[in-house]
Amino acid sequence: DAGVTQSPTHLIKTRGQQVTLRCSPKSGHDTVSWYQQALGQGPQFIFQYYEEEERQRGNFPDRFSGHQFPNYSSELNVNALLLGDSALYLCASSLDDTEAFFGQGTRLTVV
Amino acid sequence: AQSVAQPEDQVNVAEGNPLTVKCTYSVSGNPYLFWYVQYPNRGLQFLLKYITGDNLVKGSYDFEAEFNKSQTSFHLKKPSALVSDSALYFCAVVYYNTDKLIFGTGTRLQVFP
């Protein structure tokens, strides 16, 4: 079992650009959540997808959007990147209220 | 609002000594509490959780945590620290009846040989 996998591992983008991050959940998991972890901070909840729909959302602007595919994999899209969007983006998967399993994250640097 | 607090930015302990990483919570209703560990350049790894039942919860790598309702605490403990335990530790609480995790600010554990 590969666990939760995220791609890419590192990414550098310029302000104003758009970025797409990808996540494959742990085998058998149907729920995917995304978190943003700024340097020196705890992870902050962005949103959660279940059955291809956004089920919950944190306090993030509409520039942050996502998608879940029929195979439960997910994408996080961020438009009009700001310097403050630089962070580690973590994907977590779960099934039926069990504990969340996290991927290793994508380190996004906006310059 | 659901929240957790980790009052120590860093905890230093000698190898072989017991360790404690502190966490206090503020919740409405019954708390669902978690501990995760993060190694450098890695994601979060689940250590243990408290949902209901025994106040002493045992988890991975010989870690355990004690749920104390009167003190609203959920401290992480290990009887004998290893150098390899050095990492960033996060306490978290589930936000009401959702799967959304609210994390603390983290505590860096440094175990010295």
Side-chain angles (χ1 to χ4, degrees), chain B residues 15 67 73 85 106:
Chain B
E15 188 175 32
F67 173 70
S73 66
D85 292 330

Side-chain angles (χ1 to χ4, degrees), chain A residues 36-44 86-88 107, chain B residues 9 38 88 90 104-108:
Chain A
Q36 180 196 66
Q37 186 179 13
L39 198 61
Q41 302 293 318
Q44 300 290 316
S86 296
L88 180 67
R107 174 74 61 187
Chain B
D9 290 336
Q38 187 174 37
L88 190 56
F90 289 98
T105 52
T107 297
R108 185 165 301 282

Side-chain angles (χ1 to χ4, degrees), chain B residues 11 40 47 49 62 75 77 94 103 113:
Chain B
V11 170
L47 283 178
K49 66 180 177 183
D62 294 328
H75 300 332
K77 299 182 179 183
V94 167
F103 286 89

Side-chain angles (χ1 to χ4, degrees), chain A residues 48-110:
Chain A
Q48 183 182 82
Y49 278 84
Y50 172 72
E51 292 189 343
E52 302 180 50
E53 292 197 359
E54 184 181 290
R55 182 161 72 171
Q56 301 168 52
R57 191 177 181 92
N59 294 326
F60 280 81
D62 292 342
R63 297 187 297 110
F64 289 77
S65 63
H67 189 78
Q68 185 178 35
F69 298 94
N71 67 352
Y72 307 125
S73 66
S74 177
E75 290 181 348
L76 164 66
N77 300 295
V78 187
N79 294 324
L81 284 167
L82 303 174
L83 295 180
D85 295 331
S86 296
L88 180 67
Y89 288 85
L90 295 165
C91 170
S93 71
S94 58
L95 174 68
D96 293 338
D97 297 332
T98 60
E99 62 268 17
F101 285 77
F102 284 79
Q104 69 180 32
T106 294
R107 174 74 61 187
L108 173 65
T109 302
V110 182

